[in-house]
Amino acid sequence: MIPARCLTTCEDEEDENTTRVAMILGGDQPPACGEKTLLMAPKVKLSSGYDMPVLGFGTYKMRGYQCSTAIHCAVETGYRHFDTAFYYENEKEIGEALRTQIQMGNVSRENIFLTTKLWNTHHAPADVIRICQKQLETLGFDYVDLYLLHFPVAYKHMCDEIMKTETDGAIETTDIDYIDTWRAMEELVRMGLVRSIGVSNFNMDQVQRIIQCSSSKPVVNQVEIWPGFMQKDLVDYCRYNGIVVQAFAPLGQPDRELHTPIYFFSEGMKRLVKKNKRTAAQIVLRYLIDYGVVPIVKAANPLHITQNLDIFDFKLDDTDTRALRGIKQKRRIVKYLQVKDHEFYPFELEEEDEPPPPPPEPEPQQPPPQQKRKTIEPQEPPPQQEPAEEGEV
């Protein structure tokens, strides 16, 4: 991965024949133009030929004003890679904020890398083009840079607004094969609606099946990766096949009240923070990028938005890396257990995810042995006494 001391840009729209907006500078070299200094991530080339920034801005559970202001702040900070999805129900806000930033001259469309996803209720091949066009209309753009198949299991489709249909607490699914969905997504590339296609939450066997049964392979597999859940085998497999791995929940969803995950609040992490003069989040993001994955990190606080991007002017040494590599591996956070019985469920179930076995039926209790009743010999009645006379004591 390319370390950077400083990343700068003048106006994004420089020459119509170039899409390069960032310069990696070393030492104390000043910006080339001196007009604007931005934090900006280096890029990795996808197998489709397009470049993608190695750090993405996540938007899961962001809605309304919070989402819009976060996108504005992120663009003005230097983020150029944005991740959303039909399921997040925030494509409208994200599209409006990005278009506003384009109109203000802060960024050009060519310098934005925008990802969205095909939701589970739209796996039917006949639905793929229609729903993608609807998402583009919501975003307000002619194309997206990356379109991901969100999950390999297809949900029953009732209408576009219903994300899942449940019966007795179980999600209703269908048997649509994700291979058929993928082939419909390939048509989106030919139509120019999307530039690249990929998958999310797919395991090795499922990715391999797409490679074997389709004319193109995924350029990206977006999966859960954080220091306590590194998925080394999957990452190595994707790397071998030229597939870039994106990491959602890259910090492990820290909770300051519950102090989870433990590693994030540990004494070991505090030592790394003190040594490198960086936040725990900055250290983890730098570690994951050096590991070779593309973190999709979410923040709404302007300070955290800036800090999360300010990670390209330092490097973790071997001791730091070994310490992070030594974090005990935990269980995944996102499990989709409601569809764990589907044939395309991608995750291995662990013991705690399996329903507890039914309690053993109690053995029929034998009636207590009846005690032999003692036979009492009849006794002769005592001799009758004469009734007492009145006044006799």
Side-chain angles (χ1 to χ4, degrees):
M1 198 55 60
I2 305 173
R5 173 67 186 220
C6 179
L7 290 144
T8 65
T9 177
C10 303
E11 294 300 325
D12 282 337
E13 299 180 8
E14 297 176 329
D15 179 13
E16 62 181 3
N17 296 320
T18 181
T19 59
R20 182 176 178 83
V21 300
M23 296 174 58
I24 301 175
L25 304 179
D28 297 323
Q29 183 179 350
C33 61
E35 292 183 6
K36 186 191 301 182
T37 301
L38 293 176
L39 301 167
M40 200 170 289
K43 297 178 180 180
V44 61
K45 188 170 288 293
L46 303 175
S47 61
S48 58
Y50 293 98
D51 292 330
M52 178 178 70
V54 299
L55 184 70
F57 189 81
T59 62
Y60 178 52
K61 290 187 177 179
M62 284 189 177
R63 304 282 178 83
Y65 178 76
Q66 181 198 49
C67 182
S68 298
T69 54
I71 295 297
H72 283 293
C73 180
V75 172
E76 292 169 7
T77 301
Y79 287 87
R80 294 296 179 263
H81 178 178
F82 298 90
D83 181 271
T84 182
F86 185 90
Y87 180 64
Y88 300 171
E89 297 183 298
N90 59 13
E91 291 174 316
K92 184 175 185 293
E93 294 95 321
I94 291 171
E96 288 175 349
L98 290 176
R99 293 198 313 274
T100 299
Q101 287 290 325
I102 292 172
Q103 293 168 0
M104 293 169 62
N106 291 334
V107 68
S108 66
R109 174 62 185 94
E110 278 299 308
N111 290 315
I112 292 173
F113 190 95
L114 181 58
T115 300
T116 192
K117 307 177 188 75
L118 179 72
W119 180 235
N120 308 345
T121 53
H122 304 130
H123 280 210
D127 269 352
V128 171
I129 294 176
R130 177 189 68 81
I131 201 65
C132 180
Q133 290 173 330
K134 181 175 181 178
Q135 289 175 267
L136 289 174
E137 182 180 348
T138 302
L139 288 162
F141 291 118
D142 297 329
Y143 69 92
V144 291
D145 299 272
L146 180 61
Y147 198 54
L148 301 181
L149 183 51
H150 205 144
F151 194 68
V153 176
Y155 293 179
K156 181 179 179 180
H157 179 265
M158 298 293 289
C159 66
D160 290 346
E161 289 71 29
I162 297 178
M163 298 295 176
K164 54 188 175 183
T165 304
E166 297 187 28
T167 302
D168 297 329
I171 295 177
E172 294 188 36
T173 61
T174 72
D175 58 358
I176 298 173
D177 194 330
Y178 58 83
I179 293 293
D180 297 327
T181 309
W182 178 260
R183 289 171 178 161
M185 290 173 63
E186 291 178 318
E187 184 63 25
L188 299 176
V189 179
R190 288 188 282 268
M191 295 174 65
L193 300 179
V194 305
R195 287 187 167 181
S196 303
I197 52 176
V199 294
S200 180
N201 297 296
F202 274 56
N203 63 34
M204 282 188 285
D205 291 339
Q206 291 169 332
V207 173
Q208 182 65 29
R209 185 165 174 253
I210 287 180
I211 293 174
Q212 292 175 339
C213 299
S214 309
S215 60
S216 63
K217 65 182 179 182
V219 302
V220 159
N221 187 11
Q222 185 181 118
V223 295
E224 177 184 335
I225 292 179
W226 50 284
F229 192 72
M230 294 297 284
Q231 300 211 67
K232 183 178 184 302
D233 291 343
L234 178 60
V235 172
D236 289 346
Y237 169 82
C238 289
R239 184 182 293 123
Y240 178 81
N241 285 279
I243 299 169
V244 175
V245 175
Q246 291 181 345
F248 70 76
L251 307 180
Q253 297 184 351
D255 187 314
R256 296 190 181 278
E257 293 184 1
L258 300 177
H259 273 230
T260 56
I262 295 173
Y263 90 90
F264 197 81
F265 302 95
S266 67
E267 291 300 319
M269 179 58 75
K270 290 177 182 177
R271 286 193 292 270
L272 292 178
V273 167
K274 183 177 180 180
K275 173 183 174 181
N276 291 281
K277 296 181 175 58
R278 297 285 171 157
T279 67
Q282 287 175 315
I283 289 171
V284 172
L285 294 173
R286 180 75 232 195
Y287 170 62
L288 293 178
I289 289 173
D290 290 342
Y291 181 61
V293 301
V294 176
I296 306 297
V297 63
K298 184 183 75 171
N301 184 308
L303 175 61
H304 296 160
I305 290 173
T306 302
Q307 289 175 338
N308 291 343
L309 189 57
D310 188 15
I311 59 174
F312 298 103
D313 61 348
F314 80 103
K315 184 81 172 177
L316 298 171
D317 62 27
D318 292 341
T319 304
D320 300 336
T321 302
R322 281 196 300 270
L324 290 164
R325 196 183 298 138
I327 293 172
K328 184 178 179 181
Q329 294 300 285
K330 307 292 183 180
R331 296 177 176 88
R332 71 171 66 248
I333 299 170
V334 180
K335 300 180 180 180
Y336 287 88
L337 288 177
Q338 286 180 294
V339 294
K340 63 182 176 58
D341 295 325
H342 196 279
E343 63 174 321
F344 295 142
Y345 182 72
F347 308 141
E348 293 183 3
L349 290 174
E350 298 167 2
E351 290 184 5
E352 68 173 20
D353 298 328
E354 297 283 2
E361 295 184 3
E363 296 183 3
Q365 295 183 354
Q366 298 292 336
Q370 294 184 355
Q371 295 182 354
K372 294 183 179 180
R373 300 177 66 181
K374 295 181 180 179
T375 57
I376 301 176
E377 296 289 337
Q379 297 180 355
E380 293 183 2
Q384 292 185 354
Q385 298 181 352
E386 295 290 332
E389 296 287 336
E390 290 183 348
E392 185 178 1
V393 179

